[in-house]
């Protein structure tokens, strides 16, 4: 049994279930399981352990095809922060004063309702008068209690306000408390917290390296991304994956989002590449345009391994029923109802699940290279000018990229653009299945976007951006004209989306043959190619030494 290592060092805030690399890792391990002669050992920080387990459980990755090694316990500061977050996010208990107000309101409401019923049922002026006289003391008492409580509350509030104003250091204390709350809400935006994390990361990396050095049975190590310069400190043969370097491609877009933090990340990526040993990437474009031309890496040290087909049909397709298609759609509609309740920008989105809503679907995080604003411009035009009555369902968090939330708000699209964040793999598959059209306007990706195979695996056609990595694999000129658009032209995006909706069945039939061709390349093939590279570099290093 050959053993190889996978090095992971994501920060505590990253949920791999929502990341493309998380899905890549899950499919990779499932492909390795099919071989039966290899086993991967995953080295990760202590704070990633639970997240990895949840990712693999959600993706159906068997526990017997991998091993995880990590430091035994989390850093104290991180544990304190997690405890603070749990405390802040705890269910709010209703205060006694609020309970009293609610009780008074309930009594008054019951009395009022009783009086209204009796008044409308009354046939005698005498009965009305008697009822009014009998109820008057109760109503006056309830009002007196409410007025008394409000007077007391007002007096209490004035007293507190006076006391606060009398404290000279109130402003300074408040500012410090505001800073603490800001740090808790957005720790990554604070440079002090970033510095602390870097120090914590270095300490964790040192512990991980000790665990790695104790494992002489692992022939070579693989890092699925280039974010971690510490990976290059491993003495064993190393293979680093460079999916892309979008921070260099879109510096202006990333600058207002992360500022100095993203600049530090960019420097980390460049240092990792500079000190790298052997490289792998997903496309010829990234190999030559990024690694060779920009970073002057020897082409002989770079391997290209394209993606396997990401199939979602196994998560939602139902069999064994008289009408399997209807049963599958019923399951997906139930999953969609659950997914709609996860909408961040619309608390009433779950109500749409009661109908068979028609929608366009884009599954992606919100980042500057994902081109979400251009998609929103195209959609707003289709909705308001072309009267396309579909909703647009997204999977990103608008709070991460503020201009997305602003665009939705300023154009009053809250009921039409639904941002469903934190979907499970099965909910994601259901959204793809029920969508009339999947779209991907991304300006840059490391390889052909997962959107193509994910959507077509559940029978949904796709329109996508015309970018080099997509043109590498979709080479049929006629199909390119039908399904690809200029991602820098929102009107072209709108035109392709409208055409795709109106011709979805014809487009699906034309894309099926290419999907069937893509499906021949499984994740087992991907793993085989990675194993061949890891074998080669481990053998070469042994010969050189």
């Amino acid at each position: 049994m050959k053993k190889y290592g996978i090095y992971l060092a994501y920060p505590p805030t990253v949920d791999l279930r929502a990341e493309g690399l998380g899905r890549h890792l899950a499919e990779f391990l499932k492909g390795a399981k099919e071989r039966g002669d290899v086993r991967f050992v995953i080295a990760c920080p202590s704070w990633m352990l639970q997240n990895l387990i949840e990712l693999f459980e959600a993706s159906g990755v068997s526990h017997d095809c991998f091993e995880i090694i990590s430091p035994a316990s989390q850093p104290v500061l991180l544990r304190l922060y997690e405890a603070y977050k749990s405390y802040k996010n705890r269910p709010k208990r209703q205060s006694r004063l609020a309970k009293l107000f609610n009780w008074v309101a309930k009594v008054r409401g019951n009395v009022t309702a009783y009086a209204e019923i009796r008044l409308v049922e009354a046939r005698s002026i005498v009965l009305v008068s008697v009822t009014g006289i009998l109820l008057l003391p109760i109503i006056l008492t309830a009002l007196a209690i409410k007025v008394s409580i409000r007077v007391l509350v007002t007096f209490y509030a004035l007293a507190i306000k006076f006391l606060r104003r009398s404290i000279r250091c109130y402003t300074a204390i408040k500012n410090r408390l505001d800073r603490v709350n800001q740090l808790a809400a957005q720790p990554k935006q604070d440079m002090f917290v970033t510095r602390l994390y870097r120090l914590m990361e270095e300490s964790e990396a040192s512990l991980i390296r000790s665990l790695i050095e104790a494992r002489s049975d692992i022939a070579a190590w693989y890092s699925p991304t280039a974010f971690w310069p510490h990976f290059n400190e491993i003495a064993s043969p190393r293979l680093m994956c460079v999916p892309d370097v979008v921070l260099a491609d879109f510096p202006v877009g990333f600058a207002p989002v992360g500022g100095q933090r993203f600049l530090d990340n960019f420097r980390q990526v460049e240092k990792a590449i500079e000190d790298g040993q052997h490289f792998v990437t997903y496309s010829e474009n990234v190999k030559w345009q990024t690694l060779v031309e920009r970073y002057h890496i020897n082409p002989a040290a770079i391997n290209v391994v394209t993606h396997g087909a990401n199939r979602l049909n196994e998560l939602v397709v139902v069999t064994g029923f008289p009408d399997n298609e209807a049963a599958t759609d019923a399951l997906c509609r139930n999953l969609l109802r659950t997914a709609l309740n996860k909408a961040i920008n619309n608390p009433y989105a779950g109500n749409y699940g009661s109908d068979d809503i028609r929608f366009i679907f884009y599954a992606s995080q919100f980042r500057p290279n994902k081109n979400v604003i251009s998609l929103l411009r195209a959609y707003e035009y289709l909705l308001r000018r072309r009267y396309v009555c579909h909703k647009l369902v997204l999977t990103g968090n608008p709070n991460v990229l503020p201009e997305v939330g602003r665009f939705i708000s300023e154009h009053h699209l809250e009921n039409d653009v639904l941002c469903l964040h934190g979907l499970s793999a099965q909910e994601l598959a259901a959204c793809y299945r029920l969508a009339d059209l999947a779209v991907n306007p991304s300006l840059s990706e490391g390889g052909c976007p997962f959107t193509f195979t994910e959507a077509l695996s559940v029978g949904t056609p796709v329109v996508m951006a015309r970018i080099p990595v997509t043109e590498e694999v979709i080479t049929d000129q006629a199909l390119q004209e039908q399904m690809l658009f200029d991602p820098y032209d929102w009107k072209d995006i709108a035109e392709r989306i409208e055409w795709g909706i109106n011709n979805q069945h014809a487009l699906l039939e034309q894309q099926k043959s290419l999907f069937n061709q893509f499906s021949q390349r499984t994740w087992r093939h991907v793993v085989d190619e990675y194993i061949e590279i890891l074998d080669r570099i481990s053998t070469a290093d042994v010969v050189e030494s």
Side-chain angles (χ1 to χ4, degrees):
M1 177 75 71
K2 299 176 183 177
K3 288 188 179 180
Y4 298 100
I6 298 177
Y7 185 89
L8 300 174
Y10 285 104
T13 54
V14 171
D15 185 354
L16 281 177
R17 291 171 296 180
E19 299 287 338
L21 281 173
R23 283 179 282 161
H24 182 281
L25 179 61
E27 294 294 338
F28 186 90
L29 289 175
K30 285 192 281 189
K33 170 70 173 175
E34 293 180 16
R35 282 183 59 113
D37 63 338
V38 294
R39 183 177 176 84
F40 281 93
V41 178
I42 302 172
C44 69
S46 54
W47 54 76
M48 278 196 68
L49 183 59
Q50 186 58 37
N51 187 253
L52 272 177
I53 293 172
E54 291 172 357
L55 166 69
F56 295 148
E57 287 179 350
S59 304
V61 179
S62 174
H63 286 268
D64 60 356
C65 66
F66 66 90
E67 176 188 350
I68 300 178
I69 57 174
S70 70
S73 60
Q74 294 185 12
V76 173
L77 276 180
L78 183 59
R79 280 184 281 166
L80 290 174
Y81 173 68
E82 293 293 340
Y84 175 76
K85 278 205 310 180
S86 298
Y87 172 77
K88 292 290 288 185
N89 296 331
R90 74 193 188 282
K92 302 298 183 183
R93 294 180 60 185
Q94 196 175 41
S95 67
R96 293 181 179 178
L97 189 60
K99 289 180 180 178
L100 181 59
F101 270 123
N102 290 339
W103 179 82
V104 171
K106 184 178 179 180
V107 169
R108 188 181 63 178
N110 291 338
V111 169
T112 303
Y114 176 81
E116 290 172 349
I117 293 171
R118 290 294 175 264
L119 286 174
V120 298
E121 290 179 347
R123 303 292 178 179
S124 167
I125 189 65
V126 176
L127 180 61
V128 172
S129 302
V130 172
T131 302
I133 294 170
L134 292 174
L135 290 176
L136 184 61
I138 299 174
I139 295 173
L140 291 176
T141 302
L143 288 174
I145 293 173
K146 184 175 180 180
V147 170
S148 300
I149 291 174
R150 288 201 178 278
V151 169
L152 290 173
V153 170
T154 303
F155 177 78
Y156 177 75
L158 289 173
I160 293 297
K161 187 175 181 180
F162 173 78
L163 289 174
R164 284 181 174 176
R165 286 183 175 180
S166 66
I167 301 173
R168 294 180 180 180
C169 61
Y170 167 71
T171 302
I173 293 174
K174 184 178 182 301
N175 290 339
R176 288 193 177 97
L177 288 175
D178 289 344
R179 179 169 170 77
V180 169
N181 289 330
Q182 183 179 2
L183 289 178
Q186 294 182 314
K188 293 190 292 185
Q189 302 300 330
D190 187 89
M191 290 309 300
F192 172 69
V193 174
T194 301
R195 286 197 305 273
L196 286 181
Y197 170 71
R198 292 298 182 202
L199 294 173
M200 185 172 66
E201 182 185 38
E202 290 176 8
S203 172
E204 198 80 359
S206 177
L207 293 174
I208 295 173
R209 190 166 61 252
S210 299
L211 295 172
I212 290 172
E213 290 171 356
R215 296 295 297 264
S216 59
D217 56 332
I218 300 173
W221 284 86
Y222 163 62
S223 172
T225 186
F227 289 144
W228 312 307
H230 301 297
F231 175 69
N232 291 321
E233 296 174 6
I234 298 174
S236 304
R238 304 179 308 275
L239 176 65
M240 178 184 293
C241 182
V242 184
D244 50 32
V245 187
V246 291
L247 294 173
D249 295 330
F250 302 93
V252 175
F254 278 97
V257 178
Q260 184 64 37
R261 176 169 61 89
F262 272 112
L263 178 59
D264 289 344
N265 289 341
F266 176 55
R267 288 170 178 162
Q268 295 260 39
V269 169
E270 292 205 313
K271 179 172 174 53
I273 294 173
E274 179 185 345
D275 297 338
Q277 189 178 38
H278 305 280
F279 299 89
V280 65
T281 189
Y282 306 145
S283 68
E284 294 289 340
N285 178 263
V286 174
K287 173 179 177 176
W288 294 101
Q289 302 300 319
T290 300
L291 291 177
V292 175
E293 291 190 14
R294 181 180 296 163
Y295 293 107
H296 312 293
I297 304 297
N298 182 356
I302 308 169
N303 299 273
V304 176
V305 179
T306 57
H307 293 315
N310 260 26
R311 301 181 66 99
L312 299 177
N313 53 308
E314 297 175 356
L315 296 172
V316 292
V317 171
V318 177
T319 59
F321 287 82
D323 188 342
N324 291 327
E325 288 292 312
T328 298
D329 286 340
L331 171 63
C332 289
R333 282 192 290 271
N334 285 332
L335 289 167
L336 178 62
R337 292 187 189 99
T338 304
L340 289 171
N341 287 319
K342 296 182 178 180
I344 291 178
N345 64 320
N346 188 329
Y348 307 107
N351 296 332
Y352 300 132
S354 59
D355 301 319
D356 293 334
I357 64 169
R358 303 186 68 182
F359 61 94
I360 305 157
F361 187 54
Y362 178 33
S364 173
Q365 299 290 316
F366 288 167
R367 298 189 179 108
N369 62 303
K370 299 300 183 179
N371 206 21
V372 180
I373 294 297
S374 293
L375 175 60
L376 289 172
R377 287 196 180 101
Y379 174 73
E380 197 265 344
Y381 168 77
L382 291 171
L383 183 70
R384 304 271 164 76
R385 299 289 184 268
R386 301 296 299 170
Y387 309 109
V388 172
C389 298
H390 285 61
K391 296 191 183 298
L392 175 62
V393 176
L394 309 173
T395 63
N397 185 346
N399 299 322
V400 173
L401 210 61
E403 58 262 37
V404 172
R406 282 199 300 270
F407 188 98
I408 293 172
S409 175
E410 290 170 2
H411 292 81
H412 309 291
L413 294 171
E414 293 88 348
N415 292 323
D416 301 293
V417 179
L418 306 177
C419 300
L420 315 183
H421 189 58
L423 299 184
S424 68
Q426 203 174 23
E427 290 165 349
L428 178 71
C431 289
Y432 268 119
R433 166 86 180 187
L434 296 177
D436 281 352
L437 186 71
V439 60
N440 190 317
S442 179
L443 299 170
S444 174
E445 296 291 336
C448 184
F450 291 152
T451 306
F452 186 78
T453 54
E454 287 179 339
L456 287 166
S457 70
V458 290
T460 300
V462 187
V463 293
M464 298 169 63
R466 185 185 295 274
I467 55 178
V469 294
T470 299
E471 291 180 301
E472 274 186 32
V473 295
I474 301 175
T475 56
D476 184 276
Q477 292 294 324
L479 188 56
Q480 283 187 2
E481 289 299 318
Q482 288 189 334
M483 66 170 287
L484 301 184
F485 51 75
D486 180 359
Y488 295 95
D489 183 351
W490 65 263
K491 285 190 176 180
D492 193 35
I493 299 174
E495 181 183 336
R496 282 299 90 200
I497 290 175
E498 185 175 14
W499 184 90
I501 290 172
N502 293 333
N503 300 272
Q504 62 184 102
H505 297 297
L507 178 60
L508 178 61
E509 288 302 315
Q510 292 176 348
Q511 290 179 331
K512 274 183 178 178
S513 59
L514 183 58
F515 170 71
N516 291 334
Q517 178 184 332
F518 280 13
S519 296
Q520 300 303 311
R521 180 173 175 78
T522 66
W523 284 93
R524 167 66 187 274
H525 295 110
V526 175
V527 171
D528 288 345
E529 292 179 23
Y530 272 93
I531 296 299
E532 188 275 327
I533 298 168
L534 291 168
D535 272 341
R536 175 160 35 88
I537 66 175
S538 60
T539 304
D541 280 20
V542 169
V543 171
E544 289 177 6
S545 60

